[in-house]
Amino acid sequence: MGHGVVVREAAAEQQEALAALEASSFDVPWSADAIRALLDDGLTRAWVAVVAGAVVGAALVRVVAGEGELLRIAVHPSARRQGIAHALLGVVLSASADACPLGIHLEVRASNVAARHLYARQGFIDHGRRRDYYQAPKEDAILMHWRPAGTRGARG
């Protein structure tokens, strides 16, 4: 990974850094308490991308019954377009493959071409559409799904 990026599992004490990243990345960010609840729920794994000691990216995946849902992936605005999301997502998928033999799914705004391209480059395929899924502003979600190598016969 270039630019001195280190991707590792998030520690519970990083909830404030994750909340700050949320606030810089999403119109309706999750609070530090909400993030802590996810980190404590036993189903959610989180990773951070760190550059020079600062959290510049994060991803959260909830795993239930062999299938994952990418809940969030974010990169701080000042660190975007440097390959951090690609590196972060690559580590997340590699680390999640065994726990998610049925794959990982996600929703993404139809208009978020950059994110959709990132996911497609990592092997996600379009799997459907949810009309008016997002409310601020109202927009459809594109459903995407990824399967670990060697599991093509799994549910789809």
Side-chain angles (χ1 to χ4, degrees):
M1 287 173 246
H3 299 60
V5 178
V6 176
V7 176
R8 62 178 176 250
E9 284 206 60
E13 61 270 11
Q14 291 178 303
Q15 71 189 40
E16 294 296 335
L18 294 173
L21 182 61
E22 278 278 319
S24 73
S25 301
F26 299 105
D27 293 334
V28 182
W30 293 344
S31 68
D33 288 341
I35 292 167
R36 180 57 183 239
L38 285 169
L39 295 177
D40 288 345
D41 72 6
L43 300 172
T44 305
R45 293 180 67 189
W47 291 263
V48 291
V50 178
V51 174
V55 173
V56 297
L60 286 88
V61 176
R62 173 168 281 165
V63 179
V64 177
E67 186 170 25
E69 179 181 7
L70 182 64
L71 300 173
R72 291 286 217 219
I73 187 166
V75 173
H76 191 276
S78 68
R80 290 182 184 155
R81 299 242 177 265
Q82 298 175 30
I84 293 170
H86 183 79
L88 182 61
L89 187 56
V91 169
V92 167
L93 295 177
S94 177
S96 300
D98 287 342
C100 302
L102 297 176
I104 296 176
H105 66 275
L106 60 85
E107 295 96 4
V108 61
R109 282 186 180 274
S111 66
N112 193 342
V113 176
R116 291 174 63 191
H117 181 71
L118 167 70
Y119 300 136
R121 283 182 26 218
Q122 291 281 9
F124 281 82
I125 58 168
D126 287 5
H127 190 61
R129 179 180 287 259
R130 287 196 175 126
R131 299 271 176 218
D132 298 332
Y133 180 78
Y134 295 102
Q135 297 304 311
K138 188 170 276 197
E139 185 173 355
D140 292 356
I142 302 299
L143 306 175
M144 299 185 82
H145 193 263
W146 169 88
R147 286 189 198 93
T151 61
R152 296 293 174 220
R155 181 182 113 215

